[in-house]
């Protein structure tokens, strides 16, 4: 095993070790830190450090932006950062974490947080700001539900649309799970009947988290670029406003994590989701079984898939089709990124392999072979063991725990 050094020095297939990501708690990575399955920040950092040595004018794309791990690193090195993401809550977190904040803006945010605390007891409630999610009251005690609505009302009363309101809403979203009856250590909302949870007090938790958010972005003026240029919502079908030098992403796994269910309470409270919106976002996420009836038109996707997981087709045809559609969605994604890259540009895909119904699925290998059919050259490859298993995915025959992630460096000739 190698300790992470520079990308150029790594041997093909090297297993490397990164520090624990929890060390980044005082950086913008703290923003939205409970968003499910966040990727390991040290991976894009190493890639960006390596590529910045040969170019002082990088443009970077993440087509599965999520909550912004790649972008948080990229704004330190790149002249422009571009993203695609379907989930509006993730877009909010990523935007807040990557924007530059002036001293005046940080001062204003600090003042508003103090003002919210001072006037909280007498804050009026705005019923039109209640979350529009069926049975939302089930997850909260009466006092905390009322106080969450009071806090949201204060944020909307004191701010206009823009980055200050978005900042406060992101901090607000971060306290929802802690102030609910749902277990904090479970990715999916779940109320334990065996161990009763004591929810946090709303105002105390908001003041604590907002203060940490302010610290996390306090040095944002040192960033090379400011925020994300959003290029679309669909990672399988998009065009960018300018060609890019580098793309880095960590796509969803096959049939692994229902992100929308994991964050439905937060999304509902900050106003980015209701029942219909959650269904729409779920149906758009790669790897979801609801997508398996989509037509796959490229024969080579079926051929490569059968070569590596044909056993699954005989055991469970439905899950095999889910996997094939996932790989075809990745084909479409790689085609879109290929169009976006300048010649000589790289696309780094970081993904874990799966185990479905007892069949090992070498996801990284299948993706690499599909990439070869599209004109990419597989130029770099390393892997690392996941140390922080907040990135776990559900056990059982839907995948188990991912132990390693594989990083593929695909070059556009």
């Amino acid at each position: 095993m190698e300790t992470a050094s520079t990308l150029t020095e790594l041997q093909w297939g090297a297993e490397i070790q990164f520090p624990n990501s929890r060390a980044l708690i005082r950086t913008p990575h703290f923003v939205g830190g409970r968003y499910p399955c966040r990727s390991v920040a040290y991976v894009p950092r190493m890639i960006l450090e390596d590529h910045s040595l040969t170019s002082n004018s990088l443009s970077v794309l993440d087509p599965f932006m999520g909550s912004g791990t790649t972008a948080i690193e990229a704004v330190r090195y790149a002249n422009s950062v571009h993203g695609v993401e379907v989930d509006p809550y993730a877009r909010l977190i990523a935007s807040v974490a990557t924007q530059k904040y002036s001293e005046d803006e940080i001062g204003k945010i600090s003042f508003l947080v103090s003002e919210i605390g001072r006037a909280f007891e007498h804050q009026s409630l705005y019923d039109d700001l209640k979350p529009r999610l069926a049975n939302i009251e089930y997850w909260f005690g009466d006092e905390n539900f009322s106080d969450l609505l009071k806090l949201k009302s204060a944020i909307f009363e004191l701010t206009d649309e823009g980055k200050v309101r978005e900042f406060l809403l992101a901090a607000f979203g971060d306290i929802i799970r802690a102030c609910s009856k749902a277990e904090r250590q479970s990715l999916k909302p779940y109320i334990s009947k065996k161990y009763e949870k004591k929810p946090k007090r709303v105002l105390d938790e908001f003041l604590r988290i907002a203060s940490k958010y302010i610290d996390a972005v306090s040095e944002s003026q040192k960033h090379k670029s400011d925020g994300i240029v959003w290029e679309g919502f669909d990672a399988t079908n998009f065009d960018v406003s300018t060609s890019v030098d580098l793309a880095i992403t960590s796509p969803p796994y096959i049939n692994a994590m229902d992100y929308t269910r994991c964050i439905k309470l937060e999304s509902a409270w900050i106003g980015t989701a209701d029942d219909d919106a959650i269904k729409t976002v779920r149906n758009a996420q790669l790897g979801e079984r609801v997508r398996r009836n989509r037509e796959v038109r490229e024969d080579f996707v079926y051929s490569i898939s059968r070569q590596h997981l044909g056993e699954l087709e005989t055991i469970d045809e439905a899950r095999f089709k889910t996997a094939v559609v996932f790989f075809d969605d990745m084909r479409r994604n790689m085609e879109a990124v290929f169009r976006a890259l300048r010649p000589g540009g790289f696309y780094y895909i970081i993904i874990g392999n799966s185990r479905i119904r007892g069949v090992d699925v070498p996801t990284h290998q299948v993706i690499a072979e599909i990439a070869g059919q599209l004109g990419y050259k597989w130029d770099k490859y390393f892997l690392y063991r996941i140390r922080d298993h907040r990135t776990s995915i559900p056990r059982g025959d839907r995948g188990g725990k991912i132990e390693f992630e594989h990083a593929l460096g695909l070059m556009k000739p």
Side-chain angles (χ1 to χ4, degrees):
M1 183 184 297
E2 300 181 29
T3 301
S5 51
T6 66
L7 186 63
T8 305
E9 295 173 353
L10 289 179
Q11 299 294 315
W12 180 274
E15 180 186 338
I16 62 176
Q17 180 176 332
F18 292 106
N20 194 302
S21 295
R22 293 178 189 268
L24 301 171
I25 192 171
R26 289 183 172 83
T27 73
H29 291 289
F30 181 80
V31 175
R34 295 301 302 183
Y35 193 86
C37 299
R38 297 188 75 153
S39 53
V40 177
Y42 295 108
V43 181
R45 178 177 295 183
M46 183 176 69
I47 295 168
L48 287 157
E49 284 178 346
D50 187 79
H51 282 267
S52 65
L53 294 175
T54 56
S55 175
N56 59 7
S57 181
L58 279 177
S59 53
V60 178
L61 166 70
D62 186 344
F64 294 97
M65 179 62 75
S67 56
T69 300
T70 293
I72 292 168
E73 293 298 318
V75 293
R76 300 167 57 209
Y77 299 93
N79 293 68
S80 64
V81 180
H82 306 258
V84 179
E85 175 54 46
V86 65
D87 176 23
Y89 180 44
R91 289 168 73 105
L92 172 70
I93 294 170
S95 293
V96 168
T98 56
Q99 289 174 331
K100 289 184 178 182
Y101 296 88
S102 66
E103 289 186 8
D104 287 345
E105 287 171 329
I106 289 177
K108 181 178 181 180
I109 291 169
S110 299
F111 170 78
L112 289 172
V113 170
S114 298
E115 184 66 13
I116 288 170
R118 184 189 66 79
F120 187 76
E121 182 179 352
H122 304 290
Q123 175 63 46
S124 300
L125 304 181
Y126 298 112
D127 284 346
D128 60 329
L129 294 177
K130 285 183 178 179
R132 298 176 181 178
L133 189 70
N135 302 317
I136 185 71
E137 294 87 355
Y138 167 78
W139 299 97
F140 301 90
D142 292 342
E143 182 178 357
N144 269 11
F145 189 93
S146 177
D147 282 352
L148 285 168
L149 183 57
K150 186 183 293 187
L151 177 54
K152 185 177 178 181
S153 299
I155 291 172
F156 275 77
E157 184 177 298
L158 293 171
T159 63
D160 297 319
E161 288 188 12
K163 66 194 296 187
V164 172
R165 176 180 288 181
E166 288 177 352
F167 184 97
L168 295 175
L169 282 176
F172 174 63
D174 214 338
I175 74 168
I176 299 301
R177 181 67 74 95
C179 297
S180 74
K181 298 177 184 178
E183 288 297 321
R184 188 162 175 81
Q185 295 306 315
S186 171
L187 286 173
K188 296 181 180 179
Y190 161 75
I191 298 177
S192 173
K193 295 180 180 179
K194 186 175 182 180
Y195 303 103
E196 184 177 356
K197 175 190 173 186
K198 184 178 180 180
K200 300 286 188 180
R201 293 173 60 87
V202 169
L203 181 60
D204 292 345
E205 187 68 0
F206 176 74
L207 295 177
R208 184 182 75 86
I209 291 295
S211 175
K212 289 182 176 293
Y213 269 40
I214 291 168
D215 288 344
V217 303
S218 61
E219 297 189 2
S220 60
Q221 280 298 309
K222 297 179 181 179
H223 294 167
K224 191 170 184 178
S225 56
D226 184 6
I228 300 164
V229 179
W230 292 107
E231 303 287 8
F233 297 88
D234 184 353
T236 69
N237 183 22
F238 66 90
D239 292 300
V240 295
S241 51
T242 184
S243 60
V244 299
D245 305 288
L246 186 61
I248 309 171
T249 203
S250 181
Y253 299 132
I254 303 170
N255 198 23
M257 176 61 68
D258 183 352
Y259 294 87
T260 55
R261 181 181 174 190
C262 294
I263 58 169
K264 69 177 184 179
L265 302 182
E266 294 86 346
S267 297
W269 268 108
I270 67 169
T272 57
D274 55 22
D275 290 299
D276 290 337
I278 287 173
K279 183 178 179 179
T280 298
V281 172
R282 179 185 293 120
N283 291 347
Q285 288 180 335
L286 271 65
E288 281 293 322
R289 57 186 174 184
V290 295
R291 295 174 68 86
R292 65 181 171 220
N293 293 323
R294 190 180 63 76
E295 181 182 5
V296 176
R297 297 181 179 179
E298 296 292 348
D299 290 340
F300 69 82
V301 175
Y302 262 114
S303 176
I304 294 171
S305 298
R306 283 198 173 100
Q307 178 184 346
H308 290 282
L309 55 148
E311 182 184 356
L312 180 62
E313 186 175 17
T314 62
I315 297 172
D316 192 328
E317 186 176 2
R319 281 189 170 88
F320 173 76
K321 184 64 187 297
T322 298
V324 172
V325 171
F326 169 82
F327 289 125
D328 192 57
D329 280 334
M330 284 303 302
R331 171 193 63 82
R332 296 168 67 204
N333 165 260
M334 289 188 285
E335 286 178 341
V337 174
F338 196 90
R339 293 194 303 268
L341 286 171
R342 64 165 180 79
F346 274 84
Y347 185 16
Y348 288 88
I349 300 176
I350 299 102
I351 194 160
N353 294 337
S354 299
R355 185 173 178 82
I356 304 175
R357 294 296 302 274
V359 177
D360 291 323
V361 180
T363 307
H364 77 283
Q365 184 69 40
V366 176
I367 288 175
E369 291 183 22
I370 292 173
Q373 293 289 321
L374 302 177
Y376 286 98
K377 176 187 176 184
W378 190 5
D379 190 73
K380 291 180 172 61
Y381 171 54
F382 63 90
L383 69 157
Y384 58 91
R385 185 181 295 274
I386 298 173
R387 299 178 65 188
D388 182 354
H389 270 104
R390 284 190 304 169
T391 55
S392 300
I393 63 174
R395 293 179 172 85
D397 62 6
R398 297 187 64 199
K401 182 176 285 188
I402 302 292
E403 294 294 344
F404 289 92
E405 287 194 309
H406 303 255
L408 317 178
L410 308 172
M411 187 182 73
K412 176 179 177 178

